[in-house]
Amino acid sequence: MANEAFADFMQKTESALNDKAQANPMAFSALTASRLERLSVQCMREICADTPFRADEIRLVSGLAFPDIVTETFYGVEVKSTQADHWRSTGSSIIETTRDKNVASIYMLFGKLGGKPAVRCRPYEDCLYDITVTHSPRYLIDMNTASNGTIFAKMNTTYDRMRLSTDSIAQVRRYYRNKAKAEHRGEMPWWLDEIDDPTISRIASSDISLPSDRKRICQERNLLATGDSMMIRHISSLTQEEKKKIIRQLYILFPADMIDSNYAEPAMWLVAYHKIVCHNMRDFMTAGGQAKFLNGRRLSHPLPAIVKRFLDFSALIKVEIEYMYAEIDVFNPNLLEERDVFMAWVGQVDSLLNRKFGRMVTFAHWVANGDVLSVDA
């Protein structure tokens, strides 16, 4: 009943503001964002007499917290506007770090100040249709959004599940990555905020088989040191150790792409996650000759260099993989379905190599035995 009363209160607010817009459209069109907020509070207070809401409980908190207006502790109003003649704008951050912890229900109050000025009020989540990025991911508003057109409907979730989730940014990254792959577009989300990404906390507190000391370290992302975070580097500027580290991480996240020499997504990952540009991924990834020997004994058929490189790096990957759960959660999430993530990776690579090169490649067996492939005896 309280929520119904709030919905009715916002309908009355919408009507009252539209009366003001129609009575003096020039003055209404000239409103700034802050003046529209103050006018909205004034209007809400004026109509309180016919509602359960009290005028002295309607507070403007714009600039201090989200949403802009709070009434009766548990209800809020986010005020947005545009000077254009449409019902679209950029909304608030998907993280909602400044949200009033007591507010349970929020309405969007949107002022269209261009053309014939008007106001619309709708439940906040009902008019968020997509996500964009300024300095962090933010919702996009369209007051004409259909019920099946919200970003939450597209992601098969709800607003409350999203805002209360411990990994909302990771969910959004996965959604846009999967969407791009399904539409065969060479794109990858570039916003990261990884150091403060709650995904790390979720993974570190999960039942995944990760040593306790690694769980602590996992809280602090093991990003490749790239100096000034505002700078983009070319792959040629990396030390040999940094290059090897990059290769190990690529083998963990994109084993199928590495085996198939499909470097489009790995190249985008390098830019998005490490600010490293590599225009010649094929040259960078194909060094080394064919493997002709296993533990010093000649093989009946030489094996491609990529098989040798996977085996050469496997011991280091066993350590590296423990620091990469947040990225694995986005780019190779099947690995996290197993308690031993490294062994899940070994099994995945074994299957991929078998499919590509045949049963003569027994990668899982070689890893278990500590076997070595070599070019020369």
Side-chain angles (χ1 to χ4, degrees), residues 354-375:
N354 277 187
R355 186 181 65 190
K356 182 76 173 182
F357 303 115
R359 294 187 179 276
M360 66 180 126
V361 178
T362 57
F363 181 75
H365 178 75
W366 294 339
V367 171
N369 286 350
D371 291 332
V372 176
L373 288 170
S374 59
V375 176

Side-chain angles (χ1 to χ4, degrees), residues 47-342:
I47 64 173
C48 277
D50 297 326
T51 76
F53 295 87
R54 297 168 290 180
D56 58 358
E57 286 294 317
I58 299 174
R59 298 178 293 112
L60 178 63
V61 293
S62 176
L64 301 176
F66 169 78
D68 297 315
I69 301 168
V70 175
T71 180
E72 302 294 346
T73 305
F74 305 111
Y75 297 93
V77 180
E78 179 71 357
V79 181
K80 294 293 181 182
S81 61
T82 178
Q83 296 293 329
D85 187 15
H86 57 62
W87 293 98
R88 299 182 301 278
S89 183
T90 302
S92 302
S93 168
I94 69 171
I95 303 302
E96 298 187 359
T97 52
T98 62
R99 181 181 176 122
D100 186 315
K101 67 181 187 305
N102 294 312
V103 171
S105 180
I106 299 176
Y107 258 66
M108 181 78 74
L109 188 157
F110 193 99
K112 180 180 74 69
L113 306 180
K116 182 180 178 180
V119 169
R120 288 184 188 172
C121 296
R122 292 185 67 185
Y124 182 71
E125 60 268 31
D126 288 356
C127 44
L128 306 177
Y129 74 97
D130 209 342
I131 292 171
T132 189
V133 178
T134 52
H135 59 285
S136 65
R138 304 175 75 85
Y139 289 118
L140 288 174
I141 302 164
D142 188 340
M143 298 303 286
N144 292 317
T145 301
S147 60
N148 63 351
T150 68
I151 184 61
F152 313 109
K154 295 171 185 175
M155 292 179 62
N156 195 29
T157 186
T158 67
Y159 169 63
D160 282 336
R161 283 207 297 267
M162 173 75 84
R163 72 180 182 85
L164 296 173
S165 170
T166 58
D167 67 338
S168 55
I169 283 186
Q171 288 182 48
V172 172
R173 280 199 298 265
R174 281 195 296 271
Y175 166 72
Y176 283 103
R177 176 175 181 261
N178 292 339
K179 184 173 184 288
K181 287 172 72 71
E183 296 173 359
H184 305 290
R185 291 184 286 109
E187 300 175 357
M188 180 181 293
W190 62 264
W191 74 88
L192 298 174
D193 290 338
E194 290 288 0
I195 298 301
D196 298 321
D197 191 343
T199 306
I200 307 300
S201 298
R202 178 179 64 81
I203 291 170
S205 63
S206 71
D207 62 354
I208 294 172
S209 181
L210 185 65
S212 58
D213 61 328
R214 300 294 191 215
K215 287 196 175 188
R216 176 182 59 78
I217 296 170
C218 189
Q219 301 282 353
E220 304 171 3
R221 278 292 310 269
N222 189 38
L223 292 174
L224 188 68
T226 56
D228 187 345
S229 62
M230 296 298 292
M231 303 302 292
I232 292 178
R233 296 196 294 172
H234 190 269
I235 195 77
S236 61
S237 70
L238 271 61
T239 65
Q240 284 301 115
E241 186 54 41
E242 287 175 327
K243 290 178 182 177
K244 290 178 181 178
K245 185 181 183 69
I246 282 291
I247 292 172
R248 294 196 298 269
Q249 294 184 352
L250 288 168
Y251 283 7
I252 292 168
L253 299 177
F254 309 102
D257 290 332
M258 295 297 100
I259 292 168
D260 291 337
S261 301
N262 181 10
Y263 301 121
E265 190 166 35
M268 289 187 290
W269 173 83
L270 271 178
V271 174
Y273 274 66
H274 290 308
K275 302 182 179 67
I276 293 171
V277 175
C278 183
H279 69 280
N280 57 337
M281 283 289 289
R282 189 173 300 277
D283 295 338
F284 176 64
M285 297 302 303
T286 55
Q290 287 185 319
K292 300 176 182 177
F293 298 87
L294 176 65
N295 298 329
R297 298 175 60 184
R298 182 176 290 275
L299 295 164
S300 57
H301 300 282
L303 294 173
I306 187 66
V307 179
K308 178 181 182 302
R309 286 166 70 103
F310 265 97
L311 189 61
D312 288 347
F313 279 124
S314 60
L316 292 173
I317 283 173
K318 185 174 184 179
V319 176
E320 187 82 24
I321 205 168
E322 295 176 354
Y323 296 91
M324 298 191 64
Y325 282 43
E327 284 161 288
I328 292 170
D329 193 37
V330 176
F331 296 104
N332 199 354
N334 290 340
L335 298 184
L336 299 183
E337 295 176 2
E338 305 294 333
R339 291 187 61 83
D340 191 326
V341 180
F342 172 70

